[in-house]
Amino acid sequence: MSSDTRPQAPAGGDQAADGHGQDAYVSAELYARIQQFYADQMGLMDDGHAEAWAATFTEDAVFLGAVAGREALTASARAHSEKLLREKADFRHWLGMLDVRPQPDGSLRTRAYALTARTVRGEALRITASVVCRDHLVLQDGRWLVSHRSLQRDGSS
């Protein structure tokens, strides 16, 4: 009898999108570090720290296939933050159901559900999006950074 307590795939088990089977898990310590990475990253965006948020991406990162490079990410995040200030609105990101898969080159592929919520001061909270977020994380100088992010909005395809 195995002492492995990870959930097992059914017979003929599913394969993750990256081709790894269900047994391709990261350690609990690394999983917790990646959860903290996302908590920090989303907090930076939600608190309007555009430069610090963009610094969680590689210099040549691609976001949604449309925004490329840390400089462009900073400008986009700054514009978003300024718009929220003008509108007197708070914006929050919530990530859950995080799946972290190791890659042969030492990088990580992640998949999470993300909700965004917007609250204009004095009004009720509104859920503005529900998406599947897929990231490719790379380790640079001891820090995990996003090199590629794609979002698939629910109901879009």
Side-chain angles (χ1 to χ4, degrees):
M1 178 177 221
S2 170
S3 64
D4 190 347
T5 59
R6 294 178 294 184
Q8 297 300 308
D14 295 334
Q15 290 291 313
D18 60 15
H20 291 288
Q22 291 293 329
D23 289 335
Y25 290 101
V26 296
S27 69
E29 179 182 351
L30 180 54
Y31 187 87
R33 285 183 63 202
I34 299 305
Q35 282 185 309
Q36 188 62 56
F37 167 81
Y38 282 115
D40 293 343
Q41 185 189 53
M42 298 304 154
L44 290 168
M45 176 59 111
D46 294 346
D47 293 340
H49 302 294
E51 290 81 7
W53 174 79
T56 65
F57 290 82
T58 61
E59 284 291 339
D60 61 349
V62 176
F63 190 108
L64 299 174
V67 180
R70 195 178 283 162
E71 189 175 316
L73 287 166
T74 301
S76 177
R78 189 178 298 119
H80 176 75
S81 181
E82 290 168 357
K83 179 178 184 259
L84 292 171
L85 283 173
R86 284 191 308 275
E87 295 171 349
K88 297 182 174 144
D90 294 315
F91 198 81
R92 300 289 179 248
H93 291 80
W94 178 88
L95 266 69
M97 305 303 290
L98 177 63
D99 183 44
V100 182
R101 302 292 174 142
Q103 301 302 295
D105 65 359
S107 67
L108 302 172
R109 296 278 181 179
T110 67
R111 180 183 186 275
Y113 295 143
L115 293 176
T116 58
R118 185 176 188 275
T119 309
V120 174
R121 289 179 190 99
E123 296 181 14
L125 174 139
R126 255 188 36 217
I127 301 296
T128 56
S130 174
V131 302
V132 176
C133 176
R134 288 180 174 86
D135 281 352
H136 185 205
L137 303 179
V138 296
L139 194 60
Q140 288 185 358
D141 300 322
R143 294 180 54 219
W144 289 103
L145 301 174
V146 177
S147 67
H148 186 271
R149 172 167 291 164
S150 67
L151 303 176
Q152 181 179 352
R153 193 177 192 89
D154 289 354
S156 64
S157 59

